[in-house]
Amino acid sequence: MAANLIESIVKILFIFSVNIGFFSPILGWVERKQSALMQDRVGANRADVCGFTLIGLFHPIADAIKVLTKEDFIPEGADRLFHTIAPFISLTPAIITFAVIPFGGQYELFGHHVNLIIADLDVGILFVFAFASLASFGSVLAGWSSNNNWSFLGGLRASAQMLSYEVVMGLNIIGVIMVYGTLRLSQIGAMQADFFNWGIFLQPVGFVLFFTCAIAENKRAPFDVAEAESELVAGYFTEYSGMKFVMFWMGEFLEIVTIGALVTTMFFGAWHLPFVSDQMLLNYFRFAGPNGAASLAIVVNIITFFSKVIFFIWLQMTIRWTLPRFRYDQVMRLGWKMFLPIALINIFITGVVILAK
Amino acid sequence: MIDTLKRKGGCSSCGGVDDDSRLLGGSVILTKLEAINNWGRKYSFFQYPFVTACCGMEFMSVCGPKYDLDRFGAALPRFSPRQADLLMVVGTISHKQAPILVKVYNQMAEPKWVFAFGVCAVSGGFYDNYATVQGIDTLIPVDIYVPGCPPRPEMVIDGLIKLQQKVMESRWSDYPKGASPVSNDK
């Protein structure tokens, strides 16, 4: 009992420190450096502590200090309660969805069964979608409560876009569920121990559609019609200043991580190295004794998983700084007239192949 | 009281704590909250580009690959004034444009700074006529004046570094405490 409690607390602290402590500040720096790279610039590199600049890694800290000490503004005529809680509503789902994403296999450590996932729900993938849908409440409330035309339009656009792409995303994962026969993300991960069972080989179309829809769901360029700097000033968070505004950004960055983790789990073999199963890892590390082998295997699992996640974060950053943004009607046409039929055909073909086997 | 405080805080780079440290014989290290606060602010200017005229070309050049204002942490344009810290007034401000500029300035959340980019924003330049505002400091407080028609990117970067020094020297007593907005009547 106590061991279970300790295990859960350690896993929660680990995921929290990785997400809030590592990814969310460092992604601000990554985005700046990626934009600088794409535009042939140097990028932020002057913030120094005692003369050390560390290739600009202090800039996120400077930004954090500044936004924390900036005036917190609530516009006249705004709904104070909803204006205040909207950033929290849009940040929470991004943190919470990581609870059902596995970052390693299951091992015996000191006679205790360790499962490297915070909550091994049997409806894991539905849990992710339930909370991803809640994120749209944050955008809509932010837009509505600001008492500003641009915010309101941004909120409406955000809700329309997120609802449209959630439909296609849901249809895509039906293909994945049909192939693996389970909703439990840790089982989907475990079934990909064999390299040729990775989702990318079984559901290639599903991967492309899911990844695109996930980027659209996150409302980042090229699908940033909800923010739309050229049309709506700053979209649904026009009237936010200081830390509340940055909370929307943190939510966005953490969603990038969540998308990377989901894509890794469903399509890129989760925590598995190609051609290496967990049992083989335990055999490699047999020299360290049973507990040592399990610990080393856990470390390898976690490093593999987060390397894949980091790769997908980099891919999303590159897409964001490469492609020009879509117009609003183009986003809707892409979602409803192109992705939806392709997703339906994908489900049909998957069903036919499964039956024919 | 204020005079004593001013005399005590002489050092610019470390927030004026050298005198106090010397009094204690160097046995303790002192710093001030405003030092780290100013450090954060000076490396994190989110700009509001208020670009009205030809200086805009030079502004693009400053932000572009060759001169790269992002090196100083000042290249993240926020087009909502609520999120911006640095109002870049780039170009000629006509009397028709003036109320808009004042409105944008009043909409910005504290702390905020104003950068007069180019001689038209500084003093009206050679537009010495009835249609042009003779310098935006007749409308709103200005922190840094960068003249030139247009200014070279090097001058802009120099101005930005001067602004960073100014921010670093600002003291707790200078921080805005709910100042009333600039009047729109002028």
Side-chain angles (χ1 to χ4, degrees):
Chain A
M1 187 62 210
N4 282 336
L5 196 66
I6 292 168
E7 184 201 337
S8 296
I9 289 172
V10 166
K11 285 187 294 195
I12 289 170
L13 283 181
F14 172 72
I15 287 296
F16 243 81
S17 53
V18 166
N19 273 349
I20 311 280
F22 176 72
F23 276 125
S24 80
I26 209 137
L27 281 184
W29 175 83
V30 170
E31 175 136 88
R32 281 179 117 158
K33 282 291 180 188
Q34 183 70 24
S35 76
L37 199 72
M38 305 297 274
Q39 296 164 0
D40 196 17
R41 292 188 285 112
V42 181
N45 68 350
R46 290 300 163 101
D48 65 312
V49 171
C50 308
F52 293 103
T53 56
L54 270 183
I55 53 171
L57 275 172
F58 291 121
H59 275 275
I61 302 173
D63 286 343
I65 292 170
K66 188 211 67 183
V67 296
L68 279 172
T69 57
K70 202 159 167 68
E71 180 185 354
D72 182 26
F73 186 81
I74 296 179
E76 198 182 350
D79 190 316
R80 298 181 72 89
L81 174 68
F82 289 131
H83 190 270
T84 309
I85 64 170
F88 296 86
I89 296 179
S90 76
L91 177 62
T92 318
I95 299 173
I96 247 172
T97 42
F98 233 97
V100 294
I101 297 175
F103 50 93
Q106 307 188 5
Y107 297 98
E108 288 290 329
L109 198 63
F110 300 110
H112 177 67
H113 184 73
V114 176
N115 189 0
L116 291 181
I117 175 172
I118 292 176
D120 198 1
L121 296 186
D122 50 359
V123 289
I125 210 160
L126 293 184
F127 181 88
V128 172
F129 274 80
F131 273 93
S133 317
L134 278 186
S136 61
F137 280 97
S139 324
V140 176
L141 273 182
W144 173 76
S145 65
S146 293
N147 191 27
N148 178 320
N149 293 344
W150 308 124
S151 300
F152 189 55
L153 274 173
L156 286 182
R157 282 184 175 196
S159 63
Q161 184 187 350
M162 289 170 86
L163 287 176
S164 316
Y165 280 84
E166 242 156 45
V167 172
V168 186
M169 257 169 101
L171 287 175
N172 276 319
I173 59 154
I174 286 178
V176 178
I177 296 167
M178 283 163 79
V179 167
Y180 293 115
T182 177
L183 288 168
R184 200 184 278 261
L185 280 167
S186 61
Q187 256 174 30
I188 292 180
M191 285 166 118
Q192 299 182 46
D194 179 15
F195 182 57
F196 296 104
N197 258 349
W198 283 20
I200 180 75
F201 299 117
L202 302 176
Q203 286 282 317
V205 180
F207 162 68
V208 175
L209 288 193
F210 181 85
F211 195 53
T212 318
C213 293
I215 294 173
E217 179 81 9
N218 198 3
K219 305 184 291 294
R220 279 166 66 80
F223 298 99
D224 66 336
V225 289
E227 189 180 340
E229 284 177 340
S230 53
E231 300 147 30
L232 302 182
V233 188
Y236 57 91
F237 52 76
T238 302
E239 292 283 359
Y240 283 85
S241 71
M243 199 59 208
K244 285 192 210 155
F245 147 64
V246 171
M247 279 172 81
F248 284 110
W249 267 13
M250 270 172 71
E252 207 171 86
F253 285 147
L254 287 178
E255 268 176 51
I256 294 176
V257 184
T258 312
I259 291 165
L262 270 180
V263 168
T264 307
T265 308
M266 293 200 292
F267 298 103
F268 279 84
W271 60 88
H272 295 290
L273 284 164
F275 305 112
V276 181
S277 70
D278 289 344
Q279 199 53 48
M280 284 163 79
L281 274 181
L282 286 176
N283 287 341
Y284 290 148
F285 297 127
R286 214 178 319 151
F287 61 88
N291 289 326
S295 325
L296 283 172
I298 287 173
V299 170
V300 171
N301 279 173
I302 290 173
I303 290 173
T304 315
F305 179 75
F306 280 105
S307 310
K308 289 176 185 175
V309 172
I310 287 169
F311 170 77
F312 281 105
I313 290 170
W314 169 81
L315 192 62
Q316 290 178 66
M317 291 285 180
T318 313
I319 290 170
R320 189 247 178 277
W321 288 101
T322 307
L323 297 174
R325 56 190 293 272
F326 288 107
R327 227 167 43 219
Y328 182 62
D329 61 315
Q330 289 171 329
V331 169
M332 286 296 139
R333 201 176 62 209
L334 189 73
W336 288 105
K337 289 190 178 171
M338 292 164 78
F339 282 178
L340 190 69
I342 296 175
L344 289 169
I345 292 168
N346 185 39
I347 291 175
F348 176 72
I349 292 175
T350 310
V352 167
V353 170
I354 288 175
L355 278 180
K357 253 188 195 171
Chain B
M1 181 63 187
I2 293 164
D3 280 342
T4 354
L5 277 175
K6 270 186 183 159
R7 247 181 282 123
K8 269 184 136 181
C11 174
S12 59
S13 61
C14 42
V17 290
D18 272 12
D19 293 357
D20 303 338
S21 305
R22 204 169 53 240
L23 281 176
L24 293 163
S27 58
V28 287
I29 297 174
L30 289 180
T31 186
K32 282 183 178 173
L33 187 57
E34 64 190 26
I36 188 166
N37 214 341
N38 291 339
W39 177 84
R41 285 176 179 182
K42 84 170 179 175
Y43 284 121
S44 174
F45 289 123
F46 290 4
Q47 322 165 10
Y48 183 94
F50 196 91
V51 180
T52 53
C54 37
C55 276
M57 294 298 144
E58 213 61 37
F59 179 66
M60 292 168 206
S61 161
V62 178
C63 294
K66 192 156 183 183
Y67 294 97
D68 191 13
L69 216 53
D70 192 21
R71 287 180 297 155
F72 305 92
L76 212 60
R78 293 308 309 166
F79 298 101
S80 163
R82 309 282 187 217
Q83 297 145 15
D85 312 297
L86 181 59
L87 178 59
M88 282 273 199
V89 185
V90 182
T92 324
I93 302 296
S94 63
H95 280 293
K96 277 264 186 188
Q97 195 77 29
I100 304 170
L101 177 66
V102 174
K103 192 170 188 176
V104 167
Y105 177 80
N106 285 336
Q107 280 176 338
M108 284 168 73
E110 297 281 359
K112 54 191 174 186
W113 296 273
V114 180
F115 194 107
F117 188 116
V119 77
C120 295
V122 169
S123 68
F126 56 76
Y127 295 109
D128 186 10
N129 58 28
Y130 60 86
T132 307
V133 175
Q134 299 299 303
I136 56 166
D137 52 4
T138 59
L139 303 167
I140 52 177
V142 178
D143 291 281
I144 286 290
Y145 298 87
V146 175
C149 186
R152 292 272 315 160
E154 290 92 335
M155 283 173 73
V156 180
I157 290 174
D158 187 44
L160 189 83
I161 293 174
K162 289 234 163 58
L163 180 61
Q164 287 186 335
Q165 286 166 359
K166 182 175 175 175
V167 170
M168 204 61 208
E169 282 165 23
S170 69
R171 302 156 55 74
W172 201 267
S173 50
D174 304 335
Y175 285 176
K177 292 180 184 67
S180 57
V182 175
S183 155
N184 210 345
D185 301 336
K186 283 173 192 172

